[in-house]
């Protein structure tokens, strides 16, 4: 699920197993010389410009995008068959129309989407001028044919497919496009791809048993659907790692700030942090629970966690079975209920409206993914709210 689009026959063929395969069986090896990397870009016609321009030097993903464009324009490029297999356009937000972007209002993805538009447009304007004026750009095949659509395509190709591999000397990581491997779709599981420095190649083993002609999947990582949407252009329905961000912090103007900051420091938790509410059975993580307990402590409770013999108490802050006090538990769940309610008010529609929209057969692919995303976020928040309210009922009885 790199990005929803028209899929080539090569990609359909490649995604299917040629025979039965066992879990953890090595099924793919891609040597370094087949990869498009920052190192191969530096050794290409693009090399002098990469060394002299500060933006290209600092942004490896953008350098890789230019490498892709230069190789696409080179009829003798060894990567041309790979490049021709790439989609002509992508389903990431850069390809959304204004009315489709409006469907994202209230979601946690909207700011990243707007930043993506803004940054891409600014970069294109900068590089368009650079290609016309920089002496090292004169030899590039892009000078007279560098459109916004070209840049958007290259940036999207890198964004949806890039990975990191060790450099040739193994001392650091570098950006890379990995042909064939980057055609595999995502599913839940574990990372099964690595880099073999001894044989100097990217290797991937089977995530599970596969039958002949069955589609082969890989695991992209523990990413939220908002992340998948912004950077890959898809929504994964069964994402066990989906989550909604919630930013919390303790104000320095608060009277008990110093004491709370000390307790949090002992627990290894910052005084201000972006936490997450999860879509699984336990929406509140142990770290978030510990923060909320300290956030809601009274002065007397804080003193009990600052003394010399408080190490066990600090360790138990994240343990659901060891409340600070019943009053503290009531305060933290009441506070969380209020914050979640405020987050839900950011959305312009209800869950019922979104569910009904998804039943419409004429909903465009872009609109469908946007509505799926905002509905999933609401469902996580509503689930967190319900669990918090149930906790309060039990606590108040106690």
């Amino acid at each position: 699920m790199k990005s929803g689009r028209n899929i080539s026959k090569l990609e359909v063929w490649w995604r299917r197993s040629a025979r039965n395969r066992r879990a953890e069986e090595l099924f793919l090896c891609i040597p370094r010389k087949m990869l498009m990397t920052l190192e191969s870009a530096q050794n290409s016609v693009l090399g002098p410009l990469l060394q002299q321009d500060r933006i290209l030097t600092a942004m490896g993903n953008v350098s890789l995008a230019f490498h892709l464009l230069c190789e696409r324009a080179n009829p003798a490029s060894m990567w041309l068959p790979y490049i021709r297999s790439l989609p002509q356009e992508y389903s990431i937000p850069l390809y959304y129309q204004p009315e489709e972007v409006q469907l994202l209002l209230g979601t946690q993805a909207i700011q990243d989407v707007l930043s993506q538009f803004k940054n891409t447009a600014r970069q294109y304007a900068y590089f368009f001028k650079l290609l016309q004026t920089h002496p090292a750009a004169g030899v590039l095949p892009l000078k007279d044919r560098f459109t916004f659509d070209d840049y958007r395509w290259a940036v999207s190709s890198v964004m949806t497919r890039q990975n990191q591999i060790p450099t040739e000397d193994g001392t650091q990581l570098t950006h890379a496009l990995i042909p064939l491997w980057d055609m595999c779709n995502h599913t839940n599981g574990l990372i099964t791809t690595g880099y073999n420095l001894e044989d100097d190649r990217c290797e991937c083993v089977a995530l599970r048993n596969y039958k002949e002609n069955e589609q082969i999947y890989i695991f992209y990582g523990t990413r939220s659907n908002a992340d998948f949407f912004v950077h890959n252009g898809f929504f994964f329905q069964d994402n066990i790692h989906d989550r909604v961000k919630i930013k919390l912090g303790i104000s320095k103007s608060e009277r008990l700030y110093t004491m709370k900051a000390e307790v949090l420091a002992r627990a290894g938790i910052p005084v201000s942090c972006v936490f997450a509410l999860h879509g699984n059975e336990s929406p509140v993580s142990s770290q978030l629970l510990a923060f909320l307990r300290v956030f809601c402590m009274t002065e007397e409770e804080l003193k009990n966690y600052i003394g010399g013999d408080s190490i066990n108490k600090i360790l138990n802050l994240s343990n659901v079975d060891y409340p600070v006090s019943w009053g503290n538990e009531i305060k933290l769940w009441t506070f969380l209920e209020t914050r979640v309610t405020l987050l839900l008010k950011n959305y312009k529609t209800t869950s019922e409206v979104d569910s009904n929209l998804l039943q419409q057969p004429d909903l465009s692919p872009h609109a469908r993914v946007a509505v799926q995303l905002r509905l999933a976020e609401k469902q996580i928040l509503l689930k967190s709210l319900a669990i918090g309210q149930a906790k309060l009922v039990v606590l108040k009885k106690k």
Side-chain angles (χ1 to χ4, degrees):
M1 295 186 183
K2 293 292 179 184
S3 179
R5 78 282 187 188
N6 294 328
I7 300 170
S8 68
K9 291 181 180 179
L10 169 65
E11 193 158 350
V12 172
W13 167 80
W14 160 242
R15 287 179 182 172
R16 301 191 180 279
S17 179
R19 58 174 175 81
N20 292 344
R21 295 188 183 276
R22 301 184 309 275
E24 300 184 9
E25 178 185 348
L26 182 65
F27 76 91
L28 179 64
C29 301
I30 309 292
R32 182 183 294 273
K33 65 181 180 180
M34 298 302 297
L35 310 183
M36 295 189 72
T37 67
L38 288 183
E39 291 167 301
S40 64
Q42 290 160 359
N43 293 326
S44 73
V45 67
L46 189 61
L49 186 62
L50 295 184
Q51 294 175 358
Q52 297 175 40
D53 181 71
R54 58 184 179 84
I55 302 296
L56 290 172
T57 301
M59 300 179 68
N61 57 326
V62 175
S63 297
L64 201 55
F66 267 93
H67 187 25
L68 193 61
L69 285 172
C70 287
E71 295 303 318
R72 187 179 70 166
N74 177 11
S77 172
M78 63 172 287
W79 289 290
L80 206 54
Y82 165 64
I83 294 171
R84 286 173 176 168
S85 77
L86 297 177
Q88 295 302 304
E89 61 180 43
Y90 291 84
S91 61
I92 63 171
L94 276 178
Y95 286 83
Y96 274 43
Q97 297 299 314
E99 62 272 15
E100 293 170 331
V101 174
Q102 287 185 341
L103 295 172
L104 298 166
L105 292 175
T107 69
Q108 300 207 336
I110 186 63
Q111 290 304 319
D112 287 337
V113 169
L114 296 177
S115 294
Q116 194 179 84
F117 274 109
K118 180 178 69 175
N119 293 338
T120 304
R122 284 180 172 177
Q123 290 166 13
Y124 171 71
Y126 172 84
F127 289 120
F128 182 85
K129 182 178 180 181
L130 184 76
L131 291 175
Q132 304 302 316
T133 58
H134 199 287
V139 297
L140 300 183
L142 307 177
K143 184 173 182 179
D144 299 322
R145 44 177 176 174
F146 178 60
T147 67
F148 178 76
D149 283 344
D150 290 332
Y151 186 66
R152 177 174 62 170
W153 172 83
V155 166
S156 300
S157 296
V158 172
M159 187 185 305
T160 59
R161 312 178 97 80
Q162 70 176 333
N163 213 292
Q164 290 190 316
I165 64 166
T167 52
E168 290 192 48
D169 59 11
T171 59
Q172 54 187 322
L173 294 176
T174 185
H175 295 274
L177 293 176
I178 308 174
L180 290 184
W181 176 85
D182 65 8
M183 292 180 179
C184 292
N185 279 334
H186 165 80
T187 193
N188 291 317
L190 299 171
I191 297 293
T192 56
T193 303
Y195 200 86
N196 185 329
L197 281 171
E198 183 177 350
D199 294 329
D200 203 19
R201 67 187 190 183
C202 179
E203 297 180 344
C204 189
V205 299
L207 186 61
R208 58 172 176 80
N209 292 334
Y210 289 101
K211 295 180 180 179
E212 184 179 353
N213 289 325
E214 189 177 0
Q215 183 176 171
I216 294 177
Y217 293 90
I218 60 174
F219 177 59
Y220 291 7
T222 57
R223 297 162 60 185
S224 69
N225 271 322
D227 191 356
F228 283 142
F229 172 78
V230 172
H231 300 107
N232 295 85
F234 70 84
F235 175 88
F236 187 61
Q237 189 66 52
D238 301 316
N239 188 0
I240 61 175
H241 302 289
D242 203 11
R243 53 195 178 270
V244 172
K245 292 183 289 188
I246 177 170
K247 186 175 182 179
L248 299 173
I250 298 173
S251 172
K252 290 185 177 181
S253 63
E254 183 180 336
R255 184 176 65 87
L256 300 176
Y257 173 82
T258 301
M259 296 178 73
K260 290 182 179 180
E262 183 177 346
V263 175
L264 287 172
R266 290 187 174 201
I269 302 172
V271 293
S272 180
C273 185
V274 177
F275 298 95
L277 294 170
H278 297 267
N280 54 29
E281 294 303 315
S282 303
V284 178
S285 67
S286 57
Q287 187 188 47
L288 175 55
L289 177 63
F291 176 88
L292 290 171
R293 282 175 168 171
V294 177
F295 183 84
C296 295
M297 281 183 187
T298 63
E299 186 170 2
E300 290 303 311
E301 288 169 341
L302 286 165
K303 288 178 181 178
N304 291 331
Y305 284 79
I306 292 177
D309 59 347
S310 61
I311 183 64
N312 287 330
K313 291 181 179 180
I314 294 291
L315 292 174
N316 285 330
L317 279 172
S318 58
N319 192 325
V320 68
D321 296 322
Y322 289 87
V324 174
S325 67
W326 296 123
N328 180 269
E329 291 290 291
I330 290 173
K331 283 199 291 185
L332 80 85
W333 287 108
T334 301
F335 171 78
L336 190 61
E337 178 185 27
T338 302
R339 288 302 300 264
V340 171
T341 301
L342 289 173
L343 288 174
L344 283 165
K345 288 182 178 179
N346 289 331
Y347 297 94
K348 308 302 179 184
T349 59
T350 64
S351 296
E352 292 74 20
V353 169
D354 289 348
S355 296
N356 290 333
L357 275 173
L358 292 174
Q359 299 303 314
Q360 297 180 9
D362 59 344
L363 197 63
S364 72
H366 286 176
R368 185 169 298 279
V369 175
V371 175
Q372 284 177 317
L373 176 66
R374 75 186 190 194
L375 176 59
E377 289 187 357
K378 291 173 199 171
Q379 288 172 336
I380 292 174
L381 292 171
L382 288 168
K383 184 176 182 178
S384 302
L385 187 61
I387 289 176
Q389 290 171 338
K391 292 267 190 185
L392 283 171
V393 170
V394 173
L395 288 166
K396 287 177 180 178
K397 285 181 180 179
K398 291 184 178 181

